[in-house]
Amino acid sequence: MADDIVSALGGSVWDPNVTVDAPTPGYPPRYFEPVEVLRCERALSDDNVLMLDSVRLRGDVQAAMGEFAVPSNRFASGIMASCAYSIEAPVGLWFVDASGRAFRPAWPAEPCGLRDEPLQLLNELDEVSRTVYSTGYDYDYATVCSGPAMSGEFYETSDADVASAVERRRTGDSMLPPALVAPTDDVGFLQVCTYARSEDADALPAEYETVMGTSFTVDRPDSIELLGYIVDAPIAQPCSTPATLFASTDLTRPDGSGSTHLTVELDGCRRVAGLGFLRELPISAYGILTRDR
């Protein structure tokens, strides 16, 4: 429940001053022998209060720590590049030894983000206990969302566009973001904002197009189910029908890692953008996004 953990996982305004005494993540100590991992996760209670869970994990902890004991790969000095993804590492993660000493590992980097390998080993560990703390934050998701429609992610597509995407998938280029960026079967609960184009959108330049809508949460089981439908969805067919209703969300794990922005057309051609190629929105996924709303 340190201030920096609560701020980062709770979504409150982060004050750098609260981290003055926080341990700095770093490289694994040479003679450190961990026996378990402690991870901080966020969740919602039944009455919509934000909770923080302290989760203890055991298993092949040494192998997991080994994935942090590798050099980071970076661009050579003087090289400038534009990277496609913004990647967030877990907010609170510690390796703990038998005496109770702990250290926070720095996530190893690669030129355009962070390496996926530590995530794979951490996912193989077993949860042995979970302690739940209330932050006291009462999240009211029945609020108004405002901002860009993000409809620029959708565009008119032809048979040639679809054929190109099909060929890329056939050759093994799934076009999915890196695993750390795009949680699917390990996604946390989602906050979804729904948008409708403003009535005078056609009279405004595209960059000024704004939308208003509402927001709601999708609990974790439904969020995992929703992403399962979308990941397995086929490539969207040719489309020339502009949508007027959208839903969007940021894919993050309970530990705060992730960051993929997913946008969905709720009418028009009903497509999904954010996970590589444009996908068809499955009926089952549409039902989760519109259920009881």
Side-chain angles (χ1 to χ4, degrees), residues 21-271:
D21 299 323
T24 301
Y27 196 77
R30 184 175 180 183
Y31 297 110
F32 191 82
E33 297 183 359
V35 297
E36 67 180 22
V37 169
L38 183 70
R39 182 172 63 202
C40 298
E41 298 183 355
R42 69 172 191 157
L44 283 180
S45 66
D46 292 339
D47 55 354
N48 245 23
V49 173
L50 185 70
M51 314 297 288
L52 292 189
D53 296 355
S54 175
V55 183
R56 293 173 56 228
L57 305 169
R58 291 204 169 189
D60 196 347
V61 179
Q62 287 278 6
M65 191 175 77
E67 292 298 339
F68 288 90
V70 297
S72 290
N73 298 321
R74 307 184 188 279
F75 287 117
S77 178
I79 298 296
M80 300 293 291
S82 176
C83 297
Y85 306 106
S86 171
I87 306 176
E88 298 295 336
V91 169
L93 185 71
W94 286 263
F95 283 91
V96 186
D97 71 6
S99 67
R101 297 182 304 168
F103 86 97
R104 299 180 70 178
W107 205 277
E110 57 184 12
C112 265
L114 303 174
R115 298 170 64 109
D116 281 337
E117 291 85 353
L119 176 66
Q120 298 167 8
L121 271 293
L122 288 172
N123 284 343
E124 294 177 5
L125 300 180
D126 300 315
E127 179 178 328
V128 295
S129 72
R130 179 178 293 261
T131 305
V132 180
Y133 301 90
S134 175
T135 63
Y137 297 162
D138 187 355
Y139 266 47
D140 179 8
Y141 285 99
T143 56
V144 174
C145 295
S146 62
M150 302 300 291
S151 57
E153 297 175 283
F154 299 102
Y155 47 88
E156 183 173 331
T157 54
S158 64
D159 289 331
D161 295 319
V162 175
S164 175
V166 168
E167 177 61 17
R168 294 185 68 177
R169 173 181 262 187
R170 186 191 68 79
T171 57
D173 183 0
S174 65
M175 299 172 63
L176 281 172
L180 186 62
V181 180
T184 53
D185 56 352
D186 54 350
V187 72
F189 74 85
L190 297 177
Q191 180 183 2
V192 180
C193 287
T194 57
Y195 299 105
R197 293 180 192 270
S198 59
E199 292 181 355
D200 59 349
D202 291 339
L204 295 173
E207 61 268 29
Y208 293 108
E209 183 177 293
T210 59
V211 290
M212 298 291 288
T214 59
S215 66
F216 58 89
T217 56
V218 179
D219 64 26
R220 192 175 185 208
D222 279 352
S223 296
I224 293 172
E225 184 179 7
L226 172 69
L227 266 294
Y229 292 138
I230 290 175
V231 167
D232 292 336
I235 295 168
Q237 294 303 300
C239 172
S240 59
T241 306
T244 61
L245 299 174
F246 302 89
S248 66
T249 188
D250 292 318
L251 305 184
T252 57
R253 296 176 183 82
D255 63 16
S257 61
S259 75
T260 290
H261 187 74
L262 202 70
T263 311
V264 176
E265 295 175 318
L266 294 176
D267 62 357
C269 296
R270 287 192 182 179
R271 298 174 294 177

